Amino acid sequence: MAGDTVVVFDFDRTIIDGDSDNRVITEMGLTGLFNKLRSNLPWNSLMDRMLEELHSQGKTVEDITECLKGTPLDQHIIAAIKAAHALGCELRIISDANLFYIETILEHHGVWGCFSWIDTNPSFVNEEGRLRILPFHDLSSTPHGCKLCPPNMCKGLVIDQIQASVSDSGKKRIIYLGDGNGDYCPTLKLGENDFVMPRKNHPLWKHIHGKPKQIKAKVHEWSTGEELERILLHLIDTVPIQDKISSSNTSRSN
């Protein structure tokens, strides 16, 4: 039943154990400026400002790339991604990181090609050779209006689009993996045939356990890469109830 499944990953603290923004900040000596500006700028704008500072110091895009390549990725998570892809699942990412960071890290670890689509803050290198980060939702246009999500990205709106495409393509269920506050909105939109895998003791897990009746999807928590791999592959192998009923009815009619 893997071909009927869309697996949607968050990136920071889900695919990677840490935070890609924080890695660049700490490894490239930006902690002082970051702490100074943190309360004055939205996160997305703050990250773009950090990259402006690196450029002013003579740091190149190649320097940032090398920093990101040092991001560790649990071998169990690499195995889970490759196995889910090989089984025929569609793999996607919804992340409040940015495309350059995500692509660089996943390409380095050999799993970039496993993902069919990435929804995240766009990034580009400008004519001066500086890496820029823009918000996923254009902040100058009509706000997305979701009170649960930051202004630059509502993951719930992305899940709405994925659900529409799932319905159109004949796929039947979503498995959503995440950890943060921003993963709660899309979790609320999942249905009874879907699964959510919150990382234990992280904000999403706490939201779910605080108001469990608001969640329609089946909940399977995880903590480590080994647990993520084991649980995800088990869920991919789980046949939805309606398919079991349909199969049973077909067998009886024969």
Side-chain angles (χ1 to χ4, degrees), residues 11 212 233 251:
F11 186 70
L233 296 183
S251 298

Side-chain angles (χ1 to χ4, degrees), residues 28-29 51 53-64 129:
M28 303 195 75
L51 295 176
E53 177 64 22
L54 288 178
H55 183 71
S56 72
Q57 295 177 6
K59 300 292 176 60
T60 66
V61 173
E62 289 72 25
D63 293 328
I64 299 170

Side-chain angles (χ1 to χ4, degrees), residues 74-77 80 197 222-233:
D74 190 296
Q75 291 301 309
H76 289 286
I77 293 180
M197 291 178 56
W222 62 280
S223 295
T224 66
E226 186 277 331
E227 290 177 350
L228 183 151
E229 179 187 15
R230 173 173 49 81
I231 294 168
L232 176 60
L233 296 183

